[in-house]
Amino acid sequence: MSKAREQAGETAVYTHGHHESVLRSHTWRTAANSAAYLLGSLEPHMKVLDVGCGPGTITADLAALVPEGHVTGVDRAPEILEQARATAAGRGLSNVAFGVADVHALDFPDDTFCVVHAHQVLQHVGDPVGALREMKRVTRPGGLIAVRDSDYAAMTWFPASPGMDAWLDLYRRVARANGGEPDAGRRLKSWARRAGLTDITAGSSTWTFSTPDERAWWSGLWADRTLASAYAERATEGGHASGEQLRAVSEAWREWGRQEDGWFSVLHGEILCRKDA
């Protein structure tokens, strides 16, 4: 790894960590609700790399969709990979493997994979353009790079809530202090172009939480995350918020979740890029 790439990889700290309140969200994710823009391009024989695989729920879905191929899930946090392996084993999948890797310096030869996929990754890395170049390097000519990231500034909700406004402002400040870009979704096309990709299809999709069960789940995990996760620690240790302010934000989430008219939408940017043959 070059010194520049090593430094780029070290400039960002993963904001959320792997607290239970974070994994409550991550294990909910599926290929259907988080990678639908990619699924029509998959073929049974494909060799796929899933970057930032986390607990492996999307990875396992991708493996099931390429039964004659193979999926490799990688994450920078070795502790989460045991859960990913258990997810795949519980589904009886034999065409999937997991390992530790840094997206800024992937330990694979050039032109290895038919598809390289990353969900909610580039918002957390120090050099998203460099990461895309590395993803392009390990993709075969004619293969696909598929990336989806949320865009925090574009998230919206009802009813209005000063406490929720405070949450959004705080989260964006903490994420940027950690070296990430919370409004990544709108930047994906630009980053891909800077990485040298030319055949780019850019789009968007949303998650929406409105039913009583959805509101309870979404508000509860953010209320808990605000008080107990690595994000909470970084907010207080970085001087971005006091414990009292975090408790007020957490309660604002719970109050929003109790609103019968409550509605929350998470916008995601998506890019599907074909590497030049």
Side-chain angles (χ1 to χ4, degrees), residues 239-258:
H240 304 289
S242 66
E244 182 179 355
Q245 288 170 318
L246 290 182
R247 287 188 289 274
V249 168
S250 177
E251 180 51 35
W253 268 108
R254 296 197 185 280
E255 177 59 27
W256 171 82
R258 290 190 286 266

Side-chain angles (χ1 to χ4, degrees), residues 7-25:
Q7 288 175 339
E10 292 177 351
T11 57
V13 175
Y14 181 47
T15 296
H16 297 292
H18 293 101
H19 184 264
E20 181 277 331
S21 61
V22 177
L23 294 180
R24 207 182 308 165
S25 170

Side-chain angles (χ1 to χ4, degrees), residues 124-207:
H124 298 295
V125 306
D127 181 8
V129 174
L132 280 163
R133 288 195 188 106
E134 188 69 349
M135 293 169 69
K136 175 185 175 185
R137 180 186 67 79
V138 301
T139 302
R140 294 174 181 172
L144 294 170
I145 299 99
V147 178
R148 184 176 193 253
D149 264 278
S150 56
D151 193 301
Y152 276 77
M155 293 184 188
T156 190
W157 58 85
F158 185 85
S161 163
M164 296 281 281
D165 292 340
W167 159 75
L168 182 58
D169 174 70
L170 174 63
Y171 180 84
R172 293 172 76 221
R173 285 189 284 112
V174 172
R176 288 192 170 124
N178 287 339
E181 176 45 71
D183 305 340
R186 68 188 65 189
R187 291 172 165 82
L188 295 182
K189 179 182 176 182
S190 173
W191 288 342
R193 293 182 67 248
R194 288 166 58 193
L197 291 158
T198 56
D199 187 350
I200 305 166
T201 300
S204 63
S205 62
T206 61
W207 292 334

